[in-house]
Amino acid sequence: MIAVGLAAPVAVAGTGAVCSGDTARRAISAPAQAAATAPAHRAKADPRTDRPRRPAPVRQAMVAKPRKPPSRYRVVRSGSCRASYYWEAQATASGERFDPNELTAAHRTLPLNSRVRVTNPGNGDSVVVRINDRGPFTGGRCLDLSRAAMSAIGGTSAGVIPVRYQLLGRT
């Protein structure tokens, strides 16, 4: 056993000699000392070229990319307008109670229970909402979105934003 850096006499393996301190460090052969001081993560030398070997490339498992599911809807009609949102609990034109946390909207003429994709052109975010109410009855607006739908496209801080909408039909 070799102990390096101790002041007490140390026996160097295989030589039968007793050395102390610095002498024990010098008594170790150069290749053994290089191996002892080399970092563990360093690649071993290639004996043919005496250069470090390159690590083998890491093979990654082949993973299939997830396929986008086929769209259940086709675009029937599209347009653009300004949209606002509302959050007060009230009865809707479809007869159900309005829930501001559902993805619903109000439109003056689109059929009730139809699906509409609403896109914010400012950031590209979109959401599919269900028409369950009539309105808005304020000029210059064509859609009243629920609070959840408006926050999904990033417009609750503005109150009224320009949007693009697409009426979706079943395929």
Side-chain angles (χ1 to χ4, degrees), residues 79-148:
S80 59
C81 65
R82 294 172 49 88
S84 58
Y85 73 101
Y86 63 119
W87 61 92
E88 298 96 14
Q90 58 192 20
T92 63
S94 63
E96 64 188 76
R97 184 118 178 112
F98 172 72
D99 184 0
N101 298 318
E102 288 189 22
L103 299 176
T104 58
H107 191 274
R108 286 187 213 125
T109 59
L110 291 177
L112 292 176
N113 289 322
S114 61
R115 306 276 183 214
V116 176
R117 180 181 297 123
V118 182
T119 305
N120 181 351
N123 59 15
D125 290 343
S126 66
V127 66
V128 176
V129 297
R130 182 175 56 91
I131 302 296
N132 71 340
D133 202 1
R134 294 292 173 213
F137 300 109
T138 306
R141 300 180 199 162
C142 72
L143 283 169
D144 250 347
L145 301 172
S146 65
R147 182 178 52 212

